[in-house]
Amino acid sequence: MSDLRIAHVMAGAANGGAELFYERLCVAQHEQGLNILPIIRKNPERLQLLQQVGLQPRELSFGGKIDFLTRRKLKQLLTDFSPRVSVAWMNRAAAFMPVGDWVSVGRLGGFYDLKYYKNCDHLIGNTKGIVKWLIDQGWPKERAHYVPNFARDFPNVIPKRPEYIPSQASFLLALGRLHTNKGFDILIKAMPYLKDAHLLIAGEGEERAKLQDLADSLNVSDRVHMPGWVTDISQILGACDVFVCSSRHEPLGNIVLEAFAATKPVASLASQGPVELITDGENGLLSPLEDERLLAQSIQKLLDSPEFSNKIARAGRQKFEQEFSKETVLNQWFNFLSKVEKV
């Protein structure tokens, strides 16, 4: 086992890209032989998932500003564990992070207010764009680091269409929380231009009613399916013809990486993360933000040309293997932690 002792502090929600990657990284680093202490906001599912692999997570409330009990308990947990590095995931965890005999790192997956990170010695951005932004905000360049996410791989998956998507129809897939940032309204507005396609949006959120009303008003509700969260996306991802990222705001785009991993062609709007991941016409297609017509044209181009679509998909898979595979990213995390650890 490595002598690296790492505390990962997560005070986030039940679902979300950062939360899912937090779980994957804790498990992977534990399997790698690092001594990992996950400290999480109370969440029975996350607790069980981490315990199943032999980790011993600790739960705290992570309430509001006056939650002094969490502050004291977090300080005690970290002092007892004596980590070389303590990583705070996003604003709430960083705001609770105490000063101690360890190196404190803030991990950002977006363009967050840096006032929460005053107790951090280093900051990680999971995109190059975030790191540039940190430096532009005045954060010291030598203490701003790029360490990407690794995406899930999907080996030996048997593709399976949901029964409600006709076998002869083009199958479009989108994933994510039903939130205005995800731009699913733009994607639904594109559906009238895609006459024979069916769209599955796997996710849940506060925009469900609005999105359903929009699909009804455009007479595409029979071709737009919103089944809620799908626990195992591997089969539907393997079965789709085109993966679509319609986000108007997407700092990274884990969903794009997962489509790359599954060797699926990606049509995306040109939000921050996808622009960093996709070279237009090489490993995906990019369309201007808020433009449903051009998004539809990109999707149709992939549907109409299987040879071009396959070329795009293979290039995405190659990028995944070179930059975002589990082994590649774990090595980057290990090198970073070894560089900054408390000695």
Side-chain angles (χ1 to χ4, degrees):
M1 178 175 286
S2 168
D3 60 359
L4 267 174
R5 299 172 65 81
I6 311 299
H8 284 294
V9 185
M10 165 60 79
N15 295 301
E19 289 82 0
L20 291 173
F21 181 62
Y22 171 88
E23 295 169 355
R24 293 203 297 270
L25 183 64
C26 285
V27 170
Q29 289 185 328
H30 171 69
E31 293 172 345
Q32 198 180 19
L34 278 62
N35 194 338
I36 301 297
L37 174 65
I39 301 175
I40 61 174
R41 195 176 191 176
K42 292 182 178 179
N43 182 301
E45 292 78 13
R46 184 164 295 134
L47 178 68
Q48 183 179 22
L49 183 149
L50 296 171
Q51 287 176 332
Q52 284 175 343
V53 299
L55 285 162
Q56 297 181 328
R58 300 291 186 267
E59 290 185 298
L60 297 174
S61 296
F62 289 105
K65 292 182 178 179
I66 60 171
D67 184 0
F68 299 113
L69 183 59
T70 289
R71 294 182 188 278
R72 289 197 297 270
K73 287 184 175 179
L74 178 58
K75 174 83 172 187
Q76 190 61 55
L77 284 173
L78 292 174
T79 300
D80 292 346
F81 181 64
S82 188
R84 301 286 190 92
V85 182
S86 183
V87 183
W89 289 65
M90 301 186 296
N91 294 350
R92 186 180 292 264
F96 277 91
M97 181 64 73
V99 175
D101 190 27
W102 51 79
V103 172
S104 291
V105 174
R107 187 270 187 191
L108 291 82
F111 303 93
Y112 306 150
D113 191 332
L114 297 187
K115 70 181 182 182
Y116 297 104
Y117 299 85
K118 61 184 179 181
N119 286 343
C120 292
D121 304 298
H122 298 266
L123 296 182
I124 288 175
N126 66 349
T127 72
K128 294 175 183 176
I130 292 172
V131 174
K132 180 181 182 300
W133 178 83
L134 291 173
I135 296 168
D136 290 344
Q137 299 304 300
W139 188 266
K141 183 177 181 179
E142 66 275 10
R143 296 195 284 123
H145 311 268
Y146 168 61
V147 186
N149 292 5
F150 64 81
R152 289 178 291 182
D153 205 351
F154 302 94
N156 306 316
V157 169
I158 300 174
K160 182 179 180 181
R161 284 189 177 214
E163 59 184 17
Y164 47 80
I165 296 190
S167 59
Q168 74 278 9
S170 299
F171 176 15
L172 313 179
L173 177 63
L175 303 170
R177 190 160 56 98
L178 305 185
H179 185 279
T180 183
N181 284 349
K182 299 301 181 181
F184 294 131
D185 56 315
I186 306 167
L187 180 49
I188 291 173
K189 289 176 183 176
M191 289 302 290
Y193 302 105
L194 300 161
K195 298 298 184 183
D196 298 321
H198 278 243
L199 167 65
L200 191 162
I201 303 174
E204 194 53 82
E206 62 269 30
E207 291 284 304
R208 168 176 286 278
K210 290 182 180 179
L211 295 173
Q212 188 61 62
D213 288 345
L214 177 61
D216 291 341
S217 70
L218 295 173
N219 296 316
V220 295
S221 56
D222 59 326
R223 297 189 290 118
V224 174
H225 311 277
M226 295 187 290
W229 291 111
V230 176
T231 304
D232 181 3
I233 66 166
S234 59
Q235 290 187 320
I236 57 173
L237 186 55
C240 76
D241 296 306
V242 175
F243 184 85
V244 186
C245 175
S246 58
S247 297
R248 49 174 56 93
H249 178 71
E250 190 71 59
L252 170 61
N254 283 311
I255 53 176
V256 172
L257 295 180
E258 291 182 346
F260 283 175
T263 321
K264 290 298 172 179
V266 177
S268 178
L269 294 182
S271 50
Q272 305 98 315
V275 165
E276 189 170 308
L277 297 173
I278 294 172
T279 301
D280 187 38
E282 293 187 16
N283 62 346
L285 294 181
L286 292 170
S287 305
L289 294 176
E290 306 294 336
D291 195 324
E292 65 269 14
R293 187 182 291 269
L294 288 181
L295 177 61
Q297 288 180 9
S298 291
I299 295 169
Q300 195 65 58
K301 183 176 182 180
L302 292 170
L303 294 174
D304 289 344
S305 178
E307 184 177 346
F308 175 69
S309 181
N310 289 337
K311 177 185 174 183
I312 291 285
R314 290 195 301 272
R317 174 67 193 188
Q318 183 178 31
K319 187 173 184 71
F320 163 78
E321 292 175 351
Q322 292 175 344
E323 299 182 34
F324 301 103
S325 68
K326 181 178 177 180
E327 180 180 9
T328 298
V329 173
L330 280 178
N331 285 338
Q332 290 186 51
W333 266 95
F334 184 84
N335 292 339
F336 164 75
L337 294 169
S338 299
K339 177 183 176 182
V340 305
E341 68 173 317
K342 183 79 173 182
V343 295

